[in-house]
Amino acid sequence: MMQSQKGVPRRNLEKYLHIRTWFLALLALVAVSAFGQSGAVKSIKVRGNEHVSTDAILATMRTKVGQPFVEATLANDKALIEAMGFFEAVDASAHMNDDQSGYDITVDVHEYAVVKEIRLTGNKAIPSAIIMKAIEVKTGEVFNRRQVAPSSDKIQELYTKKGLFAKVSDFGPLPDSRGTINVEIIELHVGEVKVNVASPVRTKKNVFKHLIKTKAGEAFSEQKWGDDLRRLYSTQWFETIKPTDSQPEAGTINLDVDLKEARTGNIGLGLQVDPQSSFAGFVKLSDSNFRGTGQSVGLDLLQSTSGGGPSVSFNYNNPFIDNRDTSFNFSLYSRLLFRFAGTGFGGNSTPTASDRYFERRTGGTFGFSRPIHGPRTVAGISTRIESIKTNNLSTTTNDNFIQQDGLVAVFTAGLTRNRRDVDQDPSRGDYLQLSIDPGLSHITDIGGQVQNAGLLGTNYFLKSNLEYRFYYSPQKPRPLDKLDDPRRVFAFRARFGTISGNIPFFEQYFVGGVDTVRGYQDDRYWGRNQIITNFEYRHPLQKSFNLLFFVDYGGAWAGYSGVNAFTQSDRPKMHLGFGPGLSFKTPLGPIRLDLGFNEHGKTRIDFQIGTSF
């Protein structure tokens, strides 16, 4: 068998040469095809542009003069020019020139018109002037399609911040007026608002007009509708509140709420224990929705076994005295406040009948409040006038009492911002209250341990108060149809106050007890200044039963001197209280029981009807 010089069989060599011949032929075919598609670009001509410069268009293209022509690159250039946003139509084509030496490129563009006018339609909830600031398209410039999406997003954001729902349905030149840009907005409007109350119906129709602010025909606001439902819940007039909604057509939402009224009138008879007045029998009559008008009335009568006569108070509130939801309230009372004397006042032993004295405070309060800048911010003014008379004084045997009899009048101007989800049991939001309380006292008789001859006659004082509360839950917000759902809650409160002027003893700030620093005796510390902070973690065990843990830190200082063991401080001095507690929801309202430990290692149990804050 014949072989090659290197020992390769001739048959294999012929096979190798045959394959190489076909491979070279294929390469030649590919080369010819490539040359036909990628001859050099000789020129690029742009036509139809009037305001957009040719240089800007050429800079966008990847096809360049002098480079090989590639059809795929030219197709991509067309897409890049369209993406500039200035053109309604773009066409790019390539033609072999006359001498077959390369390609001439032609780019035809059809510009949008210069914007002469921007026309807004469909917006009612947000003024046109505000929306125009969000639109990036400007008059005097060529319309650019790339500005449509960000402008629409900004318009949507304006509605979202106000809790409204809307969409931009059209944004572009009008067909018959290319210089006019039409921006069409479709807002979600309220079709109907229906309140369905299960019979028998007690609450008057005009009361619901004050409670439900969402009206038919206006732009739908989820926040506003939520506030309406929370307002219904906060009245505690309704046993069940079930909201529903439907959208019968695009851009319209119908709102319904089904209600079942609760019993609002109560009669209470009982016996209570008070650390200051021992046992006392009470009678309470109240109605928080009197005759279905939204007005509340209450009459309280309390008689202590310690004597001194009954304590009586009458309370009235009308939350809707006009169409602006101005509220009016007043209270008339004659109350007995027992004070410990002898070793009992500020001491450690239980006072005897001869050691105990009391004050009778007779007077009243009245005030007005009104929402401003929305329903969550309320401004108010009120006045308190009291006549103070100290009784049962054993001046012949001791002087361990405090007597400052006369008249006290205080005017209060305040501002409240309430952003809590639910007032009765907040799980989210905050609460801010600021008040200024100028007052006067006209003291006619003084006596006892705390002497202040300069207090006799008429004197003036000023209280300044600030309170802030904050609530947070790691769980999801309560749904609007289940506003009483239990939540794990972290709650914080801070209170600051200061007094200037010559003030009676019992108009000072007092710290110690269930509403200030738990673990200490009621009113243990007093002064012209106070700082109180309270922190609570509330953990629901059942829907009506919470376990909680609290830490209180605060104090009062720079006031009247101490009495017996109740020593006081002239400088800021804070005190710590902490411990566990329980809270229960009952038909008569929430009840709390706290076990407080103080910084001296002592404990105290505090009982309270109502929430802490």
Side-chain angles (χ1 to χ4, degrees), residues 413-431:
L415 187 68
T416 302
R417 187 192 66 190
N418 184 359
R419 299 190 296 192
R420 298 174 293 183
D421 57 349
V422 175
D423 290 351
Q424 287 77 10
D425 184 20
S427 66
R428 267 179 167 78
D430 62 2
Y431 176 94

Side-chain angles (χ1 to χ4, degrees), residues 572-594:
K573 187 176 182 181
M574 302 295 106
H575 306 277
L576 177 67
F578 59 92
L582 298 173
S583 67
F584 308 85
K585 293 181 182 179
T586 71
L588 298 178
I591 297 176
R592 287 176 55 95
L593 189 67
D594 297 326

